[in-house]
Amino acid sequence: MRNKFSTNLLKKSADKIAVFLVILLCAGAGFLGFFQKFDYRLYDFMLSLKKEPKSRQEILFVEIDNKSLEDFGPWPWSRDILANALLRMKELGAKTAVFDIEYLSPSRLGINPQASVEIGNAIDSQKKDVSDFISQVAEAAVSGMYEKNDLINLVSDTIKDSVNPEFDSLKESVLKSSFQDNDELFAKAIQFFGDTWLTVNLLDLELKYSPEYLEYARKKCLYFNVQDKNQRILKGNQYYLIDQGGDNKLGFSPAIEQFMKSAKGAGFTNVVLDSDGTRRRVELLSRQNEGYAGQLAFAPILKKLDPKEIIREPFSLKLIDAKNPDNEAERINITIPLDIHGRMLVNWLNKEFVESFRHESVVFFHQLDEAESSIVSLLEVFDGFDLWDAQGKPLAYKEEVSGLLNDYNSIKQYKSFLLQKCRGFAEDGSAIDGGILPEEYTDYFDARQNFFERVRNFIDGFYFEEINSRLDEMKNELDEQNYIETKDNIKSFYEALKHEDELYLGTFNQKKKAYEGSFCIVGNTASSTTDLGTTPFNRAYPNVGTHANVYNTIMNQNFVREIHWLLGFAIASLLAFLSVIYTGGKKVWVQNMFGIFTVIVSVGLPFGLMRFFGLYVPVVAPVVVTGFSYLLVVVLHFVMAEKDKVVLRNAFSTYLAPAVVEEIVKDPSKLKLGGDEKRITALFSDIKSFSAFSELVTPTKLVSILNEYLGSMSDRILAEQGTIDKYIGDSIVSFFGAPIDLKNSAWSACVSAIRMKQEELLFNTRALADGTIPMALETRIGINSGEMVVGNMGTSAKMNYTIMGDAVNLASRLEGVNKAYKSWILCSDATWNEANSGENFDKILARKLDRVRVVGRAEPVQLWNILGFREELPENVLEAAEIFKSAMELYLKKDFVKAGKLFIKANKLVPEDETPLVYAQRCKEYLENGLSENWDGIVNMTSK
């Protein structure tokens, strides 16, 4: 009695016990991190549902892209290139430059781009001095002022005291002019730009730095107004090292001293990779002794927002009394939400990199430089062209051009003067020796602007009309050829100058609009770069884009707040348990309604919170606990109420395919004899020369080999949702499209056939290598689609789920036809037209063979020889197939000479493919024996 009572009590409480066990198991799985990767995938999807953050207009990628590499050569470049870029960016009005490029070592001296000019000037000066010396000696010799010995002594002394020192000076000038210190130029350009940020690597790279420089770098790069009473930042940094794996140690590796002393500051680029390799979050601060380093985008943000205090709290980082990102006159508190380990979730733009924010190529600076250089060179051409008026005075253009060149040289000298003032920054942040004053920047850029305006006025002025008018006046003084050439040259130079000026001004004005007030992130985005990462929306996203998204997230204050998974799990567990308690003893539809409701809430609530409030609740644990609880309760009820179905399934599963069993369980009436007519696809396979093979092994071993081989072939059929009808010795009879309907049964059958041949190759390679088989097993396959009867055939005592009909017989015949064509997979026109259609068009490569009449059929059928998936086949097979196609066209036109040659050519490309040789032999026979008058290309098969 007590046992019966206990049993009844257990049955009544089984659902509650089951839910409790599910909760315990899910809790354990959650703590062990089993749900994490699934949560990551769902997070990415949920993030895509959230309203995309606004792109801040000031963000601009300055890219080292493919075009830049084409113009400047492969990376790394000499540092004068990006130095010139910084100078241009300053002139264009860029506000901040952040380099996602590490500069941890000095570079070699570079070639001075002005070397030819400077060396030429030095040589010209020396030539004049030597010429003067020779002239003086010659005059002295002619005048007779010196005796012979005195003259020799004079020459010797002059060479010793004047000529040799002059040549030594020339040598020194040539060497000095030939090279330039690009690192020095880059350092000066960093300071010239002003708000420039470099990188600091927070891993211990074992680089050698002086203690004095490290102290300087820490004072410049670190923030000391951070409150972190419980050392949460340090704990997060240590977790980062463990989480990312490897033997890395925290360190402090800034850019080289020469650059860092010219920069505004630096930030770290160390990235956080989730366990699936995706970048979803970043550390914003890293503990360094008594200070804190900022992330590469976060460091300039802190400088810009100037918070009075930074407070680390359990799940947030607070910027106290910071400038409002959209109104610097206003001070506010900004709270940045963090995950349990202190990382900020990045609110990524849901776009490809090229569509995210604004992009400019470094190459445009080079184009501006080239246009400017061309303008100056053309002005020098005009300056070297002398033309006077009738009174012998130079025309007005001469004075204007000379003035322009003098202005330009003055501007260059002023630029050198300003760069010389860039001597770095002291520890307190002040520029050494005062640096460049604001008014000096204004004077320099105004002077450049005035220069190009003056060039424009020169082009639009009367100067060229004056030159042409004067040339027309001088026409009679010049021979016709000289007059025409001079006019043409002047016109050509004028048009070139106008073109270069328009190019420069057009490009400059366009880039001015792009760069004005921009937060520029400089990095490598070329297709050859390996600096790529995975984001929630992109599998290959340039990592330079991480910093833009970090900046965009913080400055927009558009954050994603993560709620600890335990909270969502606890609420879902409570819902699941209450649902079971409340619905106990109620009708099935009530239990289902409440069970489904708990699942919907556990899914819908997190998605709604993310979509509308930016609150991320890990969803997998809640869904698993509610879903499994509901399913387990349903299963328990099902087990108790549906024992008869279990018995039925056990009775038939031993000799029917699982899919057929399920159909019978769903509808037992299908046990009746008879079948339905359906359009499906049949596949017959048979092993070539199996009788010869069986003679080489013992019967026991033959069975073992056959079981393994046919098992692997069957797996390929089942993988494409095919049904194994029966095994007849070494043959397999199978079909596709019943009992489970398929979208395209012909395609599934063709895919299965290809995979069977691939599996066969693997089997033979393995079995031949270990001596399991004495010779390779090779299967021929025939496929046909059509109307067939499918269902239970036989008697009430013994039945079989099989197919019947003429279309089935044709598939069997096609398997045998392979022998005649020395092929492996043949299908009918009906199968090929269905398989090679819609989304699957041209994915499989097949050769069109003959139309044949198989034994037992009067109607000819078109043969298609399937070769494989087009994208998986090697080039020689693809080429051979094209040649075979051309050969067949010639063959059907009865041009057997050309056709035969092409068939042989196709075979030479793929010697193991003997089908072309079949046709080549046939062409030979036709040429030798001739054709019947009514030849139509149809082949009559005489055997099965």
Side-chain angles (χ1 to χ4, degrees):
M1 185 73 176
R2 182 177 295 176
N3 289 339
K4 185 176 181 181
F5 174 78
S6 299
T7 302
N8 290 334
L9 180 62
L10 184 62
K11 286 182 178 180
K12 290 180 179 179
S13 305
D15 50 1
K16 301 177 185 64
I17 295 171
V19 170
F20 182 72
L21 290 175
V22 168
I23 292 172
L24 288 179
L25 289 172
C26 289
F31 280 112
L32 293 173
F34 288 165
F35 302 135
Q36 196 172 64
K37 287 191 177 181
F38 300 104
D39 271 319
Y40 287 154
R41 289 288 169 260
L42 281 173
Y43 171 81
D44 296 345
F45 177 65
M46 292 164 73
L47 189 63
S48 70
L49 298 179
K50 184 180 179 293
K51 184 179 179 181
E52 186 176 59
K54 178 183 68 174
S55 299
R56 293 190 70 87
Q57 284 303 303
E58 69 266 27
I59 298 175
L60 176 66
F61 290 114
V62 181
E63 300 179 334
I64 300 165
D65 57 2
N66 292 332
K67 178 59 178 171
S68 302
L69 296 180
E70 288 176 11
D71 280 27
F72 293 117
W75 184 262
W77 295 336
S78 61
R79 289 171 179 167
D80 60 317
I81 295 174
L82 290 182
N84 291 331
L86 277 173
L87 301 181
R88 282 289 183 187
M89 288 163 63
K90 182 70 175 179
E91 183 178 14
L92 293 169
K95 192 171 184 179
T96 303
V98 177
F99 279 83
D100 185 24
I101 301 169
E102 286 193 328
Y103 293 103
L104 298 175
S105 59
S107 66
R108 298 178 179 177
L109 292 175
I111 301 299
N112 182 2
Q114 298 297 320
S116 59
V117 176
E118 295 179 10
I119 293 173
N121 291 338
I123 292 175
D124 289 342
S125 175
Q126 189 60 41
K127 282 168 59 179
K128 183 178 183 305
D129 291 342
V130 172
S131 297
D132 291 345
F133 162 69
I134 294 173
S135 297
Q136 290 173 7
V137 171
E139 289 175 2
V142 172
S143 66
M145 293 174 58
Y146 294 91
E147 296 293 333
K148 182 178 179 182
N149 289 336
D150 292 339
L151 187 62
I152 293 172
N153 290 333
L154 174 63
V155 171
S156 177
D157 291 343
T158 304
I159 291 173
K160 177 182 178 182
D161 298 335
S162 299
V163 175
N164 286 343
E166 286 291 335
F167 275 100
D168 289 339
S169 176
L170 175 62
K171 179 181 178 181
E172 183 178 350
S173 297
V174 169
L175 291 175
K176 185 176 181 181
S177 300
S178 297
F179 302 98
Q180 71 176 9
D181 187 341
N182 289 328
D183 284 356
E184 180 184 2
L185 177 61
F186 187 48
K188 292 182 180 299
I190 289 171
Q191 184 174 349
F192 182 92
F193 182 86
D195 195 21
T196 310
W197 296 79
L198 303 178
T199 65
V200 55
N201 196 308
L202 295 185
L203 297 178
D204 185 0
L205 303 181
E206 299 182 353
L207 299 176
K208 302 298 182 183
Y209 298 99
S210 69
E212 295 78 14
Y213 171 55
L214 280 179
E215 182 65 21
Y216 171 88
R218 285 192 172 95
K219 287 182 178 179
K220 167 167 280 192
C221 299
L222 303 185
Y223 297 88
F224 299 94
N225 60 337
V226 179
Q227 280 193 27
D228 184 17
K229 294 180 181 179
N230 295 309
Q231 303 292 312
R232 292 188 177 93
I233 295 175
L234 179 60
K235 291 174 184 175
N237 301 153
Q238 292 169 342
Y239 175 82
Y240 163 80
L241 286 180
I242 297 171
D243 185 51
Q244 302 304 295
D247 299 324
N248 295 322
K249 295 185 294 183
L250 284 176
F252 186 79
S253 304
I256 61 175
E257 182 175 359
Q258 188 176 16
F259 298 162
M260 188 60 75
K261 285 194 170 181
S262 297
K264 182 66 69 175
F268 62 85
T269 58
N270 305 56
V271 298
V272 175
L273 296 180
D274 284 335
S275 59
D276 62 346
T278 301
R279 302 182 177 205
R280 298 182 180 88
R281 62 199 84 225
V282 293
E283 286 190 305
L284 295 178
L285 293 173
S286 179
R287 175 72 178 270
Q288 293 287 323
N289 295 333
E290 298 304 316
Y292 296 84
Q295 193 270 347
L296 185 60
F298 190 52
I301 288 175
L302 289 178
K303 195 75 174 180
K304 177 182 178 69
L305 301 185
D306 186 32
K308 301 302 181 187
E309 197 172 21
I310 303 170
I311 302 176
R312 173 68 160 89
E313 294 191 344
F315 293 99
S316 67
L317 191 70
K318 291 188 174 181
L319 309 184
I320 306 300
D321 200 22
K323 293 179 181 177
N324 188 331
D326 298 313
N327 181 11
E328 293 189 2
E330 178 186 3
R331 291 261 178 183
I332 59 174
N333 293 335
I334 298 175
T335 299
I336 302 174
L338 306 176
D339 67 12
I340 191 173
H341 298 296
R343 290 87 60 90
M344 181 192 78
L345 283 167
V346 180
N347 196 358
W348 294 88
L349 295 188
N350 187 4
K351 294 178 179 176
E352 295 291 332
F353 177 75
V354 294
E355 298 171 354
S356 301
F357 309 107
R358 297 180 297 125
H359 299 256
E360 288 290 337
S361 172
V362 171
V363 78
F364 288 116
F365 300 135
H366 182 51
Q367 293 176 359
L368 281 171
D369 290 341
E370 287 185 324
E372 181 174 326
S373 177
S374 296
I375 289 170
V376 174
S377 297
L378 288 166
L379 288 175
E380 289 173 344
V381 169
F382 282 109
D383 188 50
F385 179 70
D386 295 323
L387 196 62
W388 297 268
D389 62 14
Q391 287 73 40
K393 295 181 180 180
L395 297 185
Y397 80 88
K398 187 72 172 179
E399 181 180 357
E400 183 63 15
V401 170
S402 297
L404 283 167
L405 292 174
N406 288 334
D407 284 353
Y408 189 76
N409 287 329
S410 297
I411 292 170
K412 285 177 61 178
Q413 292 172 7
Y414 193 51
K415 172 186 172 182
S416 298
F417 165 73
L418 294 180
L419 288 175
Q420 288 304 316
K421 297 186 74 174
C422 297
R423 302 176 185 274
F425 293 98
E427 287 189 359
D428 62 359
S430 62
I432 298 173
D433 295 337
I436 303 174
L437 302 176
E439 55 269 26
E440 291 175 325
Y441 280 117
T442 302
D443 291 344
Y444 174 65
F445 292 131
D446 284 350
R448 284 183 57 80
Q449 182 179 352
N450 292 336
F451 169 77
F452 286 106
E453 287 178 355
R454 189 174 173 186
V455 170
R456 168 50 52 187
N457 292 334
F458 174 72
I459 294 170
D460 293 339
F462 64 91
Y463 302 102
F464 291 95
E465 294 179 6
E466 179 189 37
I467 292 172
N468 284 319
S469 297
R470 180 56 182 151
L471 286 173
D472 290 341
E473 293 174 2
M474 298 173 62
K475 184 174 183 180
N476 295 330
E477 302 174 23
L478 303 170
D479 61 76
E480 184 176 356
Q481 183 66 25
N482 192 10
Y483 168 77
I484 293 172
E485 287 181 358
T486 303
K487 291 272 286 187
D488 288 344
N489 287 338
I490 291 295
K491 181 181 179 182
S492 175
F493 290 138
Y494 168 74
E495 289 177 348
L497 180 60
K498 183 177 181 181
H499 170 75
E500 294 297 330
D501 180 69
E502 289 173 349
L503 175 63
Y504 179 88
L505 291 179
T507 304
F508 184 88
N509 291 332
Q510 182 187 37
K511 301 310 166 189
K512 181 77 173 175
K513 293 178 182 177
Y515 279 88
E516 191 75 52
S518 291
F519 182 89
C520 301
I521 303 175
V522 184
N524 199 328
T525 64
S527 57
S528 59
T529 183
T530 58
D531 193 19
L532 301 172
T534 300
T535 75
F537 304 122
N538 295 277
R539 307 311 298 172
Y541 191 86
N543 289 330
V544 67
T546 301
H547 311 301
N549 282 277
V550 169
Y551 180 93
N552 198 62
T553 299
I554 297 173
M555 296 298 281
N556 280 334
Q557 300 181 67
N558 191 347
F559 302 109
V560 178
R561 292 170 172 81
E562 182 173 8
I563 306 300
H564 197 281
W565 72 271
L566 266 177
L567 180 60
F569 176 76
I571 294 172
S573 299
L574 183 61
L575 276 173
F577 207 76
L578 290 176
S579 174
V580 173
I581 293 173
Y582 178 75
T583 60
K586 290 184 170 57
K587 293 182 178 180
V588 173
W589 71 268
V590 175
Q591 295 173 353
N592 288 338
M593 182 183 71
F594 274 88
I596 294 171
F597 173 75
T598 60
V599 177
I600 291 174
V601 169
S602 63
V603 175
L605 186 59
F607 273 78
L609 291 173
M610 184 68 160
R611 173 66 178 86
F612 298 106
F613 302 102
L615 288 172
Y616 167 59
V617 181
V619 72
V620 174
V623 170
V624 169
V625 75
T626 56
F628 268 86
S629 295
Y630 169 65
L631 289 174
L632 192 55
V633 170
V634 169
V635 168
L636 285 172
H637 294 165
F638 178 82
V639 168
M640 290 184 284
E642 305 292 333
K643 286 184 178 179
D644 53 340
K645 289 188 177 181
V646 174
V647 173
L648 190 63
R649 185 178 285 106
N650 290 336
F652 287 96
S653 61
T654 56
Y655 59 89
L656 290 181
V660 180
V661 173
E662 291 305 316
E663 289 292 325
I664 293 172
V665 170
K666 291 177 185 177
D667 185 5
S669 64
K670 290 190 175 182
L671 288 173
K672 70 180 189 298
L673 290 174
D676 300 318
E677 187 172 342
K678 292 181 66 176
R679 184 170 182 81
I680 58 178
T681 300
L683 183 151
F684 280 70
S685 73
D686 186 60
I687 299 176
K688 171 188 175 183
S689 304
F690 184 70
S691 297
F693 179 90
S694 62
E695 292 174 359
L696 300 176
V697 295
T698 65
T700 303
K701 189 172 183 181
L702 178 65
V703 171
S704 175
I705 294 171
L706 195 58
N707 285 342
E708 183 181 355
Y709 178 79
L710 293 181
S712 63
M713 296 296 102
S714 300
D715 288 343
R716 297 305 96 208
I717 294 171
L718 296 175
E720 301 303 323
Q721 300 185 53
T723 299
I724 305 294
D725 184 340
K726 61 179 73 73
Y727 298 99
I728 306 173
D730 60 312
S731 302
I732 302 174
V733 180
S734 61
F735 51 91
F736 297 77
I740 300 171
D741 291 331
L742 296 177
K743 183 179 179 181
N744 189 330
S745 65
W747 166 260
S748 298
C750 292
V751 171
S752 179
I754 294 170
R755 296 303 184 206
M756 287 170 71
K757 294 301 292 181
Q758 292 173 343
E759 183 69 26
E760 176 185 271
L761 178 61
L762 295 175
F763 174 86
N764 285 328
T765 301
R766 181 178 65 252
L768 286 170
D770 60 23
T772 303
I773 56 176
M775 58 184 281
L777 292 174
E778 297 176 302
T779 293
R780 300 187 183 101
I781 299 171
I783 308 171
N784 183 45
S785 303
E787 298 296 326
M788 306 177 193
V789 175
V790 58
N792 286 302
M793 311 297 175
T795 69
S796 57
K798 179 66 175 178
M799 64 182 69
N800 181 37
Y801 190 81
T802 187
I803 52 174
M804 298 179 67
D806 182 60
V808 179
N809 296 332
L810 179 57
S812 175
R813 297 291 184 268
L814 292 179
E815 179 276 315
V817 172
N818 280 293
K819 298 177 187 177
Y821 289 89
K822 296 186 178 181
S823 56
W824 299 111
I825 305 174
L826 287 179
C827 72
S828 65
D829 216 29
T831 296
W832 177 245
N833 289 337
E834 289 183 28
N836 189 42
S837 63
E839 61 184 3
N840 302 317
F841 179 74
D842 207 32
K843 289 184 178 179
I844 291 177
L845 178 63
R847 295 184 297 201
K848 190 175 183 180
L849 304 183
D850 293 323
R851 294 173 66 209
V852 302
R853 290 187 182 93
V854 299
V855 176
R857 285 176 62 99
E859 185 69 23
V861 60
Q862 174 66 58
L863 297 181
W864 288 89
N865 175 207
I866 294 176
L867 300 179
F869 293 107
R870 187 176 290 275
E871 64 179 15
E872 296 178 0
L873 293 171
E875 284 298 323
N876 64 319
V877 175
L878 297 175
E879 184 180 351
E882 287 299 316
I883 294 172
F884 187 92
K885 180 180 178 182
S886 300
M888 281 299 296
E889 291 173 355
L890 294 169
Y891 172 82
L892 293 174
K893 293 177 181 178
K894 304 180 184 180
D895 189 347
F896 299 120
V897 173
K898 292 181 180 178
K901 291 179 180 179
L902 288 181
F903 284 128
I904 292 172
K905 183 178 180 182
N907 173 255
K908 287 182 179 179
L909 282 173
V910 189
E912 65 272 18
D913 178 17
E914 299 184 50
T915 302
L917 293 180
V918 172
Y919 278 94
Q921 179 62 32
R922 195 185 292 174
C923 289
K924 180 182 177 183
E925 293 173 357
Y926 287 159
L927 288 171
E928 291 175 353
N929 303 326
L931 289 173
S932 61
E933 294 181 0
N934 59 348
W935 185 84
D936 56 3
I938 296 174
V939 176
N940 295 306
M941 306 304 297
T942 58
S943 65
K944 297 181 180 181

